[in-house]
Amino acid sequence: MAEFRVRVSTGKAFGAGTWNKVSVSIVGTQGESPRLPLDHLGKEFNAGAEEDFQVMLPEDVGPVLLLRVHKMPPALPCLPWPLAQDAWFCRWFQLTPPQGSPFLFPCYQWLEGAGSLVLREGTAKVSWADNHPLLQQQRQEELQARQEMYQWKAYNPGWPHCLDEKSVKDLDLNIKYSTAKNANFYLQGGSAFVEMKIKGLLDRKGPWRSLNEMKRIFHFRKTSAAEYTFQHWQEDAFFASQFLNGLNPVLIRCCHCLPKNFPVTDAMVASVLGPGTSLQAELEKGSLFLVDHGILSNMHTNVINGQPQFSAAPMTPLYQRPCGGPLLPLAIQLSQTPGPNSPIFLPSDDEWDWLLAKTWVRNAKFSFHEALTHLLHSHLLSEVFTLATLRQLPHCHRLFKSTGLGIGGFSELIQRSMKQLNYSALCLPVDIRARGVEDIPGCYYRDDGMQIWGAVERFVSEIIGVYYPSHESVQDDRELQAWVREIFSKGFLNRENSGIPSSLETREALVRYVTMVIFTCSARHSAVSAGQFDSCAWMPNLPPSMQLPPPTSKSQATPESFVDTLPPVNATCDVILALWLLSKEPGDRRPLGTYPDEHFIEEAPWSITTFQNRLAQISREIQERNRGLALPYTYLDPPVIENSISI
């Protein structure tokens, strides 16, 4: 008989403890022990507790391979259902044999109801490194169980596939919000809803009376960035700067040849270009940029309060003035088809004509951002990465109701974009070069994003170097290859022209791929999500819908027609409420580089501390730069970036 000491750590979160009974079976190379109860006088497994138990094995099972954990409700008659299902969050088990060093078995999972869970000792191993049949069998059984629990479905034709669940309520506890996070989210949303309701705005279906009246809602929990937007939203330089550092900094690209369907002339833009130059000269210098919303052409639109909404597909050339001057808009065409009913609007036009044209561009930016940059690229693709990870990598592996387009329009826009989506757009250094914005001044999304990408890439590279000594070791990891293959098939619908790999052949390819996944699910999401309320709190800066059609002639816009074009009062409030919630992290935060769960135990030549120190250095540099900016760019400051998409 051999006596082992078992140490158990229970999570600290609300509800992490349990009244259920827990036992373990020790699995070794020579057999498996019977169930060994972990029992003291009084209650065990309270939240935050670390407890020691002595267990006696009746016979030797050989070197330890696995730990099987069993959880059962107490043997009481007429046991209430909540007690029978009592969930427990276990952090880890530590098993100390009579002789030798202790084994740590990371868990970090909720165990709900009666059942068993098999844990491995915390040394990370890729599939080809497991040479014992029992360990190989455990990997296969874990993945089979996960693949049965987490299944795919096609939510909409042409969309990336997603988790096959009808409601958040049906999700497994391990992928739900924590109780505290969930409570904070609903408390924040409820208090904001009540505030809008008391002001009598949520039920008003008519248009705003004036821009001055809109100030009533602008004071709803405004931020310093929102205040700056309110003060500068009509300025051309601010309008242009939002394509560099606003919600959608991924669409602007250098223009070396104006589109044939945009017949702008030197005379039209002379007031912006200034003397001694021309469009052709600036095109050759690389100082002209283009924002093209052509993907929005002929979109189906929403109906709000019984009124059809309208959309446009504008083209907006921008000019980077020399000697560090501001980026400025040159002209705006609100459709992809030039002609007498599609005039080119200019900064020299009547004030309200030009402001209305810019506002149509902002509405297009809202639709593109919410459907594609935010929903598709950040959420739908990240769900693909997450679900494929749950289904293909075992624990021991190392690695819209009030918008102008509506749900139907968003779906159509996502289908269109999926046909164009490519790998390079998701890899920041490649995307920056492809769009030709490496040198445009004042692009803080690029500057900060490249630093974050570099820090993540180095961290990933060091880890890959430890576990994959050669290109062949990458090719031979069947779990890794299955993960990549599933992302290709379920996320990118087997589109070869997407450039997304369906397999990985080299360590360098693996480093880039994993860096892309981490960056997409953390920094990129922060850049396109955290500032939503800042940009939309003053609604004319980013209107979610437009109630009148795009103008087909000049000299028609007035202050009254401008306001009538904007979304109605209740739709404005719906969107601002939603974006305020989406911009507020509801507690229980884990910034990028924070890994409180100790899943792996081995020492390696890489260090999480090194990664964290690099992120801290980046943060200091960003904060120092921001002190000299009228509008600080904070969305890629590492403490602001969540480790993963959590809202």
Side-chain angles (χ1 to χ4, degrees), residues 50-162:
E50 290 189 9
E51 301 163 277
D52 289 308
F53 303 87
Q54 301 294 328
V55 297
M56 193 70 68
L57 272 65
E59 58 185 34
D60 184 20
V61 296
V64 175
L65 297 174
L66 302 167
L67 187 69
R68 201 181 306 276
V69 182
H70 313 279
K71 177 173 168 289
M72 295 289 292
L76 298 174
C78 302
L79 189 67
W81 184 87
L83 196 55
Q85 297 296 314
D86 189 21
W88 175 45
F89 187 85
C90 174
R91 296 180 66 234
W92 45 259
F93 285 80
Q94 187 182 70
L95 184 65
T96 304
Q99 296 178 342
S101 301
F103 298 92
L104 184 67
F105 293 84
C107 181
Y108 298 100
Q109 296 182 62
W110 286 97
L111 286 75
E112 189 172 17
S116 298
L117 177 69
V118 179
L119 301 179
R120 295 173 60 117
E121 186 265 341
T123 302
K125 289 186 177 180
V126 293
S127 58
W128 46 261
D130 261 342
N131 49 23
H132 195 281
L134 283 177
L135 295 177
Q136 295 171 355
Q137 179 183 348
Q138 184 275 331
R139 294 181 87 105
Q140 295 170 4
E141 291 176 349
E142 180 185 341
L143 290 179
Q144 288 170 359
R146 296 240 212 108
Q147 288 163 13
E148 290 176 6
M149 177 178 291
Y150 306 116
Q151 298 192 10
W152 295 101
K153 73 174 179 183
Y155 180 75
N156 267 330
W159 284 39
H161 292 195
C162 63

Side-chain angles (χ1 to χ4, degrees), residues 255-264 283 290 292 315 317 336 338:
C255 181
H256 296 288
C257 180
L258 286 171
K260 294 181 179 180
N261 59 340
F262 193 87
V264 66
L283 287 168
L290 183 67
D292 189 350
M315 289 186 285
Q336 299 287 308

Side-chain angles (χ1 to χ4, degrees), residues 179-201:
T179 302
K181 198 182 197 81
N182 197 54
N184 283 337
F185 181 81
Y186 284 104
L187 284 172
Q188 288 176 357
S191 64
F193 177 86
V194 169
E195 182 177 339
M196 291 284 198
K197 196 77 171 176
I198 291 174
K199 290 182 177 180
L201 299 173

Side-chain angles (χ1 to χ4, degrees), residues 30 64 75 103 138 145 177 200 203 212 280 310 319 324 378 384 414 418 444 463 540 548 602 616:
Q30 299 175 24
V64 175
F103 298 92
Q138 184 275 331
Y177 267 5
D203 299 322
N212 282 333
Q280 186 58 40
F310 298 89
Y319 172 50
S378 294
V384 170
I414 287 172
M418 281 295 292
Y444 307 120
I463 296 173
L548 297 179
E602 65 272 35

